[in-house]
């Protein structure tokens, strides 16, 4: 499981990650950089499946969880074709396949200490109400950030996403989402709770083809 991810992490320049199958790792880290800028100080960030024990014993006092539960190919952009790289004499020395795009769907939830404390009496109900309000407020920060950005800012991008040369589009709570959230909650062993789905359309550039037949 991936635990808390460091926020405001300086981006390292790596020229090799595009071809080394790191797109999911780099998508998580890019999203962590962006959410780290959107969330208030002191709010934690995790990337793991929500666990039933979080209901009564959350691992942090207040945090957002971004659980990647679906990866599908996106239809935008050409699905075939390539561009040619030529040397100074005009000879083709490489062919670059077109960039592919994948829809990474994250279940965004907020968790605060206090859930389950409402067992008896008005004081318990008050604590539970405060917990719910705190969670809703944190989710609101994510929604506000989505309203400001239609894609991840360049200074948030890591590795494969930074090197792709194309935008990493964000879709917040898409209306046409096919996800059966009720089945997802049942699979996690949790009752439904306030959440939103965040789709990151991640570009990934296949390696350049350089093993070419010599010219006639």
């Amino acid at each position: 499981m991936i635990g808390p991810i460091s926020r405001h992490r300086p981006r390292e320049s790596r020229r090799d990650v595009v071809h080394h199958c790191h797109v999911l790792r780099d998508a998580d880290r890019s999203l962590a950089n962006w959410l780290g800028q959107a969330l208030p100080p002191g709010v934690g960030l995790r990337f793991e499946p929500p666990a039933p024990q979080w209901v009564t014993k959350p691992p942090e006092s207040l945090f957002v969880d971004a659980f990647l539960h679906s990866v599908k190919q996106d239809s935008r952009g050409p699905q075939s074709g390539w561009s040619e790289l030529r040397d100074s004499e005009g000879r083709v020395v490489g062919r670059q396949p077109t960039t592919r795009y994948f829809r990474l769907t994250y279940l965004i939830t907020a968790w605060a200490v206090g859930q389950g404390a409402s067992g008896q009496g008005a004081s318990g109900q008050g604590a539970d109400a405060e917990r719910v309000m705190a969670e809703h407020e944190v989710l609101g920060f994510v929604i506000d950030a989505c309203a400001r950005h239609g894609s991840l800012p360049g200074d948030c991008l890591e590795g494969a996403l930074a090197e792709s040369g194309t935008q990493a589009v964000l879709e917040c709570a898409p209306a046409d989402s096919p996800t059966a959230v009720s089945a997802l909650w049942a699979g996690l062993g949790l009752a439904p709770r306030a959440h939103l789905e965040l789709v990151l359309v991640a570009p990934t550039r296949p390696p350049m083809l350089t093993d070419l037949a010599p010219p006639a």
Side-chain angles (χ1 to χ4, degrees):
M1 299 296 179
I2 300 177
I5 290 184
S6 175
R7 290 156 52 176
H8 309 294
R9 176 177 174 271
R11 175 156 59 89
E12 298 175 0
S13 176
R14 293 189 56 189
R15 304 298 300 181
D16 59 334
V17 295
V18 174
H19 312 316
H20 288 178
C21 307
H22 292 162
V23 64
L24 294 184
R25 183 204 66 181
D26 294 332
D28 284 349
R29 292 181 175 178
S30 299
L31 192 62
N33 292 338
W34 179 69
L35 288 172
Q37 296 176 4
L39 297 174
V43 178
L45 179 61
R46 306 177 77 89
F47 286 73
E48 56 192 282
Q53 61 266 28
W54 290 4
V55 174
T56 54
K57 294 182 179 179
E60 300 178 62
S61 60
L62 180 60
F63 67 96
V64 164
D65 184 62
F67 168 43
L68 175 61
H69 67 85
S70 174
V71 179
K72 296 182 179 180
Q73 189 161 329
D74 189 84
S75 59
R76 73 191 64 203
Q79 299 300 307
S80 61
W82 56 77
S83 58
E84 295 181 341
L85 177 66
R86 296 178 180 270
D87 62 16
S88 58
E89 297 181 0
R91 290 174 298 192
V92 176
V93 295
R95 289 191 173 96
Q96 176 65 62
T98 186
T99 299
R100 301 297 179 91
Y101 298 86
F102 292 87
R103 298 178 64 83
L104 313 182
T105 304
Y106 293 82
L107 182 73
I108 308 295
T109 51
W111 300 79
V113 168
Q115 187 169 347
S118 59
Q120 299 290 334
S123 61
Q125 293 175 0
D128 194 57
E130 290 180 2
R131 185 265 311 164
V132 171
M133 292 296 290
E135 293 174 350
H136 289 184
E137 182 179 18
V138 170
L139 284 179
F141 281 107
V142 179
I143 294 173
D144 288 346
C146 289
R148 293 193 302 270
H149 299 109
S151 60
L152 289 181
D155 63 350
C156 294
L157 299 179
E158 297 269 353
L161 273 65
E163 300 298 335
S164 70
T166 57
Q167 288 186 327
V169 174
L170 289 169
E171 298 178 9
C172 183
D176 59 348
S177 173
T179 304
V181 178
S182 58
L184 182 60
W185 288 121
L188 293 169
L190 288 163
R193 59 187 295 115
H195 68 277
L196 63 90
E197 282 193 303
L198 182 64
V199 177
L200 172 61
V201 182
T204 178
R205 189 177 62 194
M208 180 174 293
L209 305 177
T210 57
D211 186 13
L212 307 177

